[in-house]
Amino acid sequence: MMKTIKMKTVKTKTATKPAKAATNDAGTKIDQMIARVGDWRGERLAEIRALIHEVDTGAVEDWKWMGTPVWSHEGMYVLANPHKGKVKLQFFHGA
């Protein structure tokens, strides 16, 4: 006979960090990444960023994992990275 285990889902909130200088702002860093990449990948990142904010007006930009732009709204849901021949989007589980 198998025993059923019930798991409780706990919703957590992320602590808001105090505002830092504009140079450390995630939005500024994403702007710098787009400018640094400069070619079609920068254009594509800018388009993706605009689409995310168009679809989810409450999206929050963050800068994580050694220079990765991340968007969240009640939890992280997508990150974007430019690579040599592509712009990779990674959607988190449940997004």
Side-chain angles (χ1 to χ4, degrees):
M1 189 160 124
M2 293 185 76
K3 190 174 191 178
T4 303
I5 299 173
K6 291 185 180 182
M7 297 185 80
K8 183 178 180 183
T9 303
V10 178
K11 205 172 197 181
T12 59
K13 290 185 179 181
T14 55
T16 56
K17 297 178 184 175
K20 294 185 179 180
T23 56
N24 293 333
D25 181 49
T28 303
K29 289 182 178 181
I30 294 171
D31 289 337
Q32 291 170 351
M33 174 188 265
I34 290 169
R36 184 182 69 241
V37 173
D39 56 7
W40 64 269
R41 296 170 299 162
E43 292 174 14
R44 187 68 63 218
L45 273 171
E47 289 173 7
I48 291 166
R49 183 185 194 188
L51 282 171
I52 289 170
H53 286 290
E54 182 180 323
V55 172
D56 184 3
T57 56
V60 176
E61 295 180 328
D62 205 355
W63 191 257
K64 296 190 180 285
W65 302 301
M66 297 172 16
T68 301
V70 178
W71 289 269
S72 62
H73 184 145
E74 297 182 8
M76 294 183 289
Y77 59 84
V78 67
L79 63 83
N81 278 318
H83 293 273
K84 185 176 180 179
K86 63 187 172 195
V87 175
K88 181 180 178 181
L89 294 178
Q90 185 171 353
F91 291 90
F92 297 104
H93 180 74

